[in-house]
Amino acid sequence: MRVHAGWATGLSAGESDWSLDFAFFKVSIELTDAGHEHIQDIIGLLFKYVELLQHSGVCEWIFEELSAVCETKFHYQDKVPPIDYVVHISSNMQLYPPKDWLIGSSLPTKFSPSVIKMVLDQLSPNNVRIFWESKNFEGHTDRVEPWYGTKYSIEKISSSVIQEWVHSSPDQNLHLPAPNIFIPTDLSLKPVQEKVKFPVLLSRSSYSALWYKPDTLFSTPKAYVKIDFNCPYAGSSPEAEVLTHIFTQLLMDYLNEYAYYAQVAGLNYGVNHTDSGFQVTVLGYNHKLRILLETIIEKISTFRVQTDRFSVIKEMVTKEYENSKYQQPYQQAMYYCSLILQDQTWPWMEQLEVLPLLQPEDLSKFVPAMLSRSFLEFYVAGNIEGNEAELMVRHIEDVLFKCSKPLCQPLFPSQHVTNRVVKLESGTSYFYPSECLNPNDENSALVHYIQVGRDDFKLNVKLQLFALVAKQAAFHQLRSVEQLGYITVLMQRNDCGIRGLQFIIQSTVKGPGNIDQRVEAFLNMFEAKLLEMTADDFKSNVNALIDMKLEKHKNLREESAFFWREITDGTLRFDRKDFEVEALRQLTLQDLIDFFNEYVKVGAPQKKTLSIRVYGNLHSDDYNAETSQPDSAKIENVFSFRKSQSLYGSFKGLSGQMKL
């Protein structure tokens, strides 16, 4: 869609709303500001491509390719939660005969050129509705829909007008897709010599570390590869962080057309920026995975800034940051909590401030500097043999570190990533008040965080068990009885191995300060319930938590996410579930009460609390009153506070091994 002109950042197409009697074919295009000015050209190009499809006739090879993709996907689909599977099958039962209940519409049945042609013929200017959404239309509409008060207009467009747009649209090299090279043909399972239960550190050098976990559970021809690029320069300033963000988005943009074929064939990828660099993830059928991965690495090693695409991505990233202002108040409160607790993080407001000043040449200078000192941490899992994983790592090291003009050099020992978290002072209840960034939002929000301590099996299970037994009671009291707000949650929190508990409540009924008082009132009330808990109730809750921990991972993605969290936090307790189950079996009711008295009870001498209070416009008077009164527990400035506090030691260090 005129990508090189910078008119669009995304396009999707497929069946939309449907019933047994009709269906819509929907094309969604995400426009840039420049695209908004070329809407007629864009619609003209869309129908020009439809005409190409119609004139090309119905291609059997495309149907056969689609059938091969669908059949592979059906036979090697990942397990899903049983409740989701039941809903899916019961929906099929309303639409298909019994022999097709499991298949549904997953597999094309037979090649029917006449049916395909009939559908193609329906895609005409005589049979289209166009929805054009933009803030630019503000003040230029004449209707209001009754449910949400959305303002809009309706304008009739004749098919002859659309045909004029088709004829006047720019010439493009429109063509049918090429045969898909990523469709897997080798779906055999690799031999596994022994029942490996946990990841092993297969290799480590000054360039990289390789964690490897063969598939011993799922028996599918799929693999999961994650590469964490630890580049200290990437997180050295707000400017560096936003440039890293633009780099990852631009890299995805460059790969989009090529990798689309891989995604169609069941091979997905992502490039995401992190606090210490960026990550590359590839997941899907292992047969052609290495082709995609090596292409991504090649794009990184030969990265050049294309000025026109830089402008498009910069616009997209700018809107992304600007939209942060419109997050719900509870999301803003959670963000502030992370900003206060996690050392060496930069606020998105500062990144938004530097964005307008950034030019293509800034990124051109930044990327080589960012990559100049790097350490790569690999996690390779699934239907891949150990020697294949090592060859993969060796190839990437050769491209980035060992060529004639290497892009990367190893990190110095002092540069390896560490995760430091603020250690709140015992016996102090800190609070941080802030106005909601959206002045039109009536909701206020509270995050009431109770810090417990460093990762420890016995401490973890006490925290987890308390969260389990208190969760329903908190929901009942604070939401159902007191009706503070629809969003009322009690949950655990884990910041790089530092454990805690948090209440998250969003409300129009009361301001955050009042909600904070209601949370403490609940804890006072729950103390009595805890003391009254019977041995049978305690045992029932312990067994329920054990059952949760013993539940097996459903698919490779889920298993990999669990193990990767251990790697990225630096805790490396891949056997965590076994040890925590054993700790639970030894736990007593008195242990749980003692935990409550030390860490959670209101007024406990060792208790460490942080409350984030975000005020909506209904409670602006409360905010003004709170900020005008001096209070030693009030956090006036996030960064001054963070610099003044002690930090927990990092679990993460040199290749995940050095403890600081």
Side-chain angles (χ1 to χ4, degrees):
M1 188 56 64
R2 198 69 170 156
V3 165
H4 297 294
W7 290 352
T9 57
L11 185 151
S12 61
E15 187 181 37
S16 180
D17 302 319
W18 62 275
S19 73
L20 293 176
D21 300 312
F22 69 88
F24 289 97
F25 183 81
K26 182 177 180 181
V27 180
S28 298
I29 304 169
E30 297 171 22
L31 302 178
T32 62
D33 292 342
H36 181 82
E37 302 300 322
H38 288 271
I39 190 67
Q40 295 178 7
D41 290 327
I42 289 170
I43 294 171
L45 277 171
L46 174 60
F47 276 100
K48 189 175 283 189
Y49 192 79
V50 170
E51 288 181 358
L52 170 67
L53 294 176
Q54 293 167 339
H55 295 155
S56 299
V58 179
C59 301
E60 187 170 4
W61 73 266
I62 294 179
F63 178 85
E64 295 298 335
E65 193 174 85
L66 176 64
S67 295
V69 169
C70 291
E71 188 166 344
T72 302
K73 181 179 179 181
F74 178 77
H75 288 298
Y76 297 103
Q77 59 187 298
D78 289 337
K79 287 185 178 180
V80 297
I83 190 170
D84 295 338
Y85 186 69
V86 167
V87 170
H88 173 68
I89 299 302
S90 61
S91 299
N92 284 352
M93 293 170 73
Q94 302 176 55
L95 303 171
Y96 305 104
K99 66 183 180 65
D100 293 329
W101 282 351
L102 297 182
I103 296 173
S105 60
S106 301
L107 299 176
T109 51
K110 62 180 180 179
F111 181 54
S112 303
S114 59
V115 174
I116 298 171
K117 184 177 184 304
M118 181 269 290
V119 173
L120 271 175
D121 290 342
Q122 292 290 316
L123 306 181
S124 76
N126 295 318
N127 198 26
V128 67
R129 292 187 300 182
I130 301 169
F131 295 86
W132 187 12
E133 301 170 13
S134 172
K135 284 188 174 182
N136 293 359
F137 297 132
E138 199 167 342
H140 301 284
T141 55
D142 57 8
R143 302 190 184 198
V144 178
E145 58 85 22
W147 295 279
Y148 291 96
T150 302
K151 298 175 181 178
Y152 70 103
S153 291
I154 296 177
E155 182 180 335
K156 289 187 176 180
I157 304 175
S158 66
S159 59
S160 59
V161 169
I162 293 178
Q163 284 296 346
E164 289 177 12
W165 295 349
V166 172
H167 296 313
S168 63
S169 62
D171 291 331
Q172 292 286 299
N173 181 27
L174 299 179
H175 55 83
L176 294 178
N180 194 336
I181 64 168
F182 286 103
I183 294 176
T185 54
D186 181 2
L187 299 167
S188 61
L189 298 181
K190 305 293 176 70
V192 179
Q193 300 302 324
E194 55 182 310
K195 203 78 171 175
V196 180
K197 194 175 179 182
F198 305 117
V200 294
L201 188 60
L202 207 57
S203 66
R204 188 175 69 208
S205 69
S206 60
Y207 311 114
S208 70
L210 167 59
W211 295 96
Y212 170 66
K213 169 64 175 67
D215 177 18
T216 56
L217 290 177
F218 312 112
S219 299
T220 59
K222 297 179 180 180
Y224 183 103
V225 176
K226 187 180 284 288
I227 311 172
D228 183 59
F229 284 74
N230 173 20
C231 310
Y233 192 45
S236 59
S237 68
E239 184 178 51
E241 188 151 314
V242 76
L243 283 168
T244 305
H245 190 180
I246 293 174
F247 162 73
T248 59
Q249 294 300 306
L250 203 51
L251 185 61
M252 291 273 285
D253 186 74
Y254 293 169
L255 288 161
N256 188 40
E257 185 175 351
Y258 176 82
Y260 168 76
Y261 290 94
Q263 291 172 316
V264 168
L267 196 53
N268 296 301
Y269 83 105
V271 184
N272 306 99
H273 83 286
T274 66
D275 290 339
S276 59
F278 63 98
Q279 291 178 352
V280 173
T281 308
V282 184
L283 168 66
Y285 302 111
N286 58 276
H287 183 207
K288 307 291 181 72
L289 182 146
R290 188 166 172 179
I291 298 173
L292 177 59
L293 181 62
E294 290 183 358
T295 301
I296 295 171
I297 298 301
E298 187 267 336
K299 287 286 186 184
I300 292 172
S301 67
T302 60
F303 183 84
R304 298 291 182 272
V305 179
Q306 297 174 16
T307 303
D308 55 344
R309 297 312 295 166
F310 175 88
S311 300
V312 170
I313 298 302
K314 178 182 172 181
E315 177 187 314
M316 186 176 74
V317 170
T318 300
K319 289 177 179 177
E320 181 184 325
Y321 281 118
E322 288 175 340
N323 286 338
S324 297
K325 300 174 185 176
Y326 302 101
Q327 286 185 324
Q328 292 198 58
Y330 84 91
Q331 294 172 312
Q332 295 178 32
M334 292 176 70
Y335 170 76
Y336 290 136
C337 190
S338 297
L339 194 64
I340 289 171
L341 291 174
Q342 295 173 10
D343 193 37
Q344 295 299 317
T345 51
W346 308 103
W348 66 261
M349 302 82 148
E350 292 181 1
Q351 296 171 46
L352 179 60
E353 189 177 325
V354 302
L355 253 170
L357 306 174
L358 298 178
Q359 299 300 321
E361 51 268 26
D362 296 317
L363 187 62
S364 295
K365 295 175 183 176
F366 172 78
V367 172
M370 174 187 71
L371 293 169
S372 63
R373 291 285 176 183
S374 302
F375 181 82
L376 279 54
E377 192 150 29
F378 291 80
Y379 177 80
V380 180
N383 194 41
I384 289 184
E385 294 182 277
N387 64 319
E388 290 181 272
E390 290 181 297
L391 286 172
M392 190 184 296
V393 171
R394 200 171 303 147
H395 170 79
I396 293 171
E397 287 184 351
D398 288 344
V399 171
L400 298 178
F401 291 92
K402 300 177 182 178
C403 58
S404 57
K405 294 183 179 179
L407 187 66
C408 307
Q409 294 183 54
L411 297 185
F412 293 110
S414 60
Q415 288 182 295
H416 282 270
V417 65
T418 56
N419 302 324
R420 307 297 300 274
V421 175
V422 166
K423 186 175 186 179
L424 298 176
E425 191 174 333
S426 298
T428 304
S429 297
Y430 295 103
F431 68 96
Y432 176 67
S434 175
E435 287 185 291
C436 183
L437 295 172
N438 179 5
N440 297 319
D441 201 321
E442 296 180 345
N443 287 286
S444 292
L446 169 77
V447 169
H448 181 98
Y449 168 68
I450 301 169
Q451 192 173 72
V452 173
R454 284 169 61 86
D455 185 66
D456 173 86
F457 293 144
K458 291 182 180 179
L459 195 58
N460 293 350
V461 297
K462 294 173 189 176
L463 170 62
Q464 293 160 10
L465 187 60
F466 176 79
L468 179 67
V469 299
K471 180 178 180 180
Q472 187 57 42
F475 183 86
H476 173 73
Q477 178 63 31
L478 299 174
R479 183 185 172 194
S480 301
V481 176
E482 300 186 28
Q483 297 189 2
L484 293 180
Y486 180 77
I487 297 173
T488 302
V489 180
L490 169 60
M491 61 187 294
Q492 302 168 61
R493 183 183 176 102
N494 179 8
D495 295 276
C496 307
I498 307 305
R499 305 289 183 138
L501 191 73
Q502 60 184 0
F503 291 82
I504 304 169
I505 301 173
Q506 183 165 290
S507 176
T508 56
V509 178
K510 291 183 180 294
N514 285 323
I515 299 173
D516 222 351
Q517 293 173 7
R518 299 315 307 153
V519 168
E520 295 204 335
F522 164 76
L523 291 174
N524 285 328
M525 179 195 72
F526 189 74
E527 180 181 5
K529 290 190 175 184
L530 192 60
L531 294 173
E532 293 168 1
M533 182 180 288
T534 66
D536 287 344
D537 285 343
F538 173 77
K539 191 66 177 175
S540 175
N541 282 294
V542 167
N543 289 337
L545 188 54
I546 288 174
D547 288 344
M548 292 179 199
K549 290 186 175 296
L550 293 178
E551 187 175 340
K552 293 181 178 179
H553 297 298
K554 294 178 182 63
N555 51 60
L556 180 61
R557 183 195 295 266
E558 192 177 288
E559 180 193 69
S560 297
F562 176 83
F563 289 137
W564 180 251
R565 180 67 189 265
E566 294 292 332
I567 293 167
T568 194
D569 281 350
T571 44
L572 303 181
R573 294 313 304 257
F574 304 123
D575 54 0
R576 171 178 306 281
K577 289 186 177 183
D578 296 338
F579 279 89
E580 289 187 347
V581 165
E582 184 58 33
L584 274 169
R585 287 177 173 146
Q586 298 176 13
L587 200 66
T588 66
L589 176 57
Q590 189 58 49
D591 291 333
L592 183 61
I593 293 170
D594 291 344
F595 168 83
F596 175 85
N597 289 336
E598 182 174 356
Y599 294 102
V600 183
K601 182 176 180 178
V602 177
Q606 298 302 311
K607 185 176 180 181
K608 297 179 283 189
T609 306
L610 169 64
S611 291
I612 311 296
R613 304 172 182 176
V614 174
Y615 290 80
N617 62 24
L618 292 181
H619 306 112
S620 54
D621 289 344
D622 293 351
Y623 172 77
N624 293 330
E626 187 167 274
T627 53
S628 63
Q629 297 175 0
D631 191 324
S632 60
K634 180 168 63 180
I635 298 173
E636 301 281 359
N637 181 284
V638 169
F639 309 103
S640 298
F641 173 79
R642 203 167 68 182
K643 291 174 182 176
S644 69
Q645 299 300 300
S646 300
L647 299 174
Y648 281 102
S650 174
F651 286 100
K652 187 96 173 160
L654 179 59
S655 303
Q657 298 297 303
M658 180 186 291
K659 305 290 174 66
L660 299 179

